[in-house]
Amino acid sequence: MGTSVARTWQRIVTLLSEHAPATAREIRPPAPAADLEHLRDRVGLEVPPELGAWWAVMDGVDDERDHGSGNRSGYLIPKNYLPLPVTRAEDEYVRQSRYPDPGCCTPEGTHRKEAGQDGFPFCTGVLPIGRAIDGGLLCVDLRPGEDHGCVMEWYASEGVYRSEWASVTEILDEIAERLDNYSHDREPPYRERHPVITDGELTWP
């Protein structure tokens, strides 16, 4: 799993370096192992191997600096999400976990709902991994169940709900495929559009 993630990520970085260098420059080096361990201890749930493997090869982008400067070059996840560094993922987790879903989250730290099920206002069993410019969060569902590791989205008005991605691996595969189609000027699949690259900055229509 880790080898596959690392290989796909290297493909993405190569394509970004060639076609969207401003976005490539925003990517931080691999996350420190101590940060990953601290996050796991904080959350207390199993982190999917592909997420750990992704953070082992990159530590997101500086989402606070990027957003504050009005610079959008770090939005490398479709739907224009910034991938969060491990420490920022933990910050967001702690902040949102103050508002657990009463229908799911128990005082003992267990969950009544399985992975992939909606929750409101938040669920302490999902971990933010990305942030959108409009305040939304991209999360990985750490709750038990067949869909453990699936990707969820969160907005304050809607709570946590299922995204179109089944895993972090699917996100990375989509980024790589769409960038590759763009680089070779291939016709995108039905209902899909090429990413937009302006002055070396990647955005997603």
Side-chain angles (χ1 to χ4, degrees):
M1 178 66 73
T3 303
S4 174
V5 167
R7 187 165 52 243
T8 303
W9 181 247
Q10 185 54 57
R11 182 182 170 205
I12 290 168
V13 170
T14 299
L15 288 163
L16 289 174
S17 298
E18 181 179 354
H19 299 283
T23 296
R25 286 193 295 269
E26 294 293 328
I27 300 167
R28 291 158 53 96
D35 289 354
L36 283 166
E37 192 62 34
H38 194 274
L39 174 68
R40 290 188 179 102
D41 290 344
R42 169 78 73 173
V43 176
L45 293 169
E46 181 185 352
V47 174
E50 64 266 24
L51 176 56
W54 190 26
W55 270 328
V57 292
M58 69 98 225
D59 193 21
V61 303
D62 186 347
D63 70 306
E64 294 177 306
R65 184 200 66 77
D66 199 88
H67 180 61
S69 65
N71 176 8
R72 300 189 184 188
S73 58
Y75 291 82
L76 65 88
I77 301 175
K79 299 189 179 182
N80 291 316
Y81 279 105
L82 292 153
L84 292 173
V86 172
T87 55
R88 286 284 298 119
E90 183 175 340
D91 290 345
E92 284 291 347
Y93 176 81
V94 171
R95 186 163 69 93
Q96 300 303 335
S97 292
R98 293 178 294 175
Y99 312 103
D101 176 6
C104 178
C105 309
T106 71
E108 295 76 31
T110 59
H111 298 275
R112 300 183 182 94
K113 299 177 183 177
E114 292 190 348
Q117 293 186 286
D118 296 355
F120 188 87
F122 188 69
C123 174
T124 57
V126 302
L127 174 64
I129 63 167
R131 184 176 64 79
I133 194 170
D134 59 3
L137 294 173
L138 193 67
C139 307
V140 170
D141 201 328
L142 308 182
R143 291 174 293 181
E146 281 187 18
D147 296 321
H148 172 81
C150 70
V151 181
M152 309 288 281
E153 294 182 81
W154 172 90
Y155 279 88
S157 60
E158 302 175 57
V160 182
Y161 57 94
R162 188 74 175 261
S163 81
E164 62 194 57
W165 295 296
S167 66
V168 167
T169 300
E170 278 198 7
I171 294 176
L172 298 180
D173 286 344
E174 179 178 335
I175 295 170
E177 181 179 350
R178 292 177 70 178
L179 284 172
D180 196 55
N181 285 337
Y182 171 91
S183 70
H184 291 92
D185 198 26
R186 296 192 194 100
E187 187 70 23
Y190 176 64
R191 297 185 67 181
E192 189 174 286
R193 298 167 65 188
H194 280 313
V196 176
I197 298 176
T198 306
D199 297 329
E201 295 184 2
L202 172 72
T203 56
W204 301 92

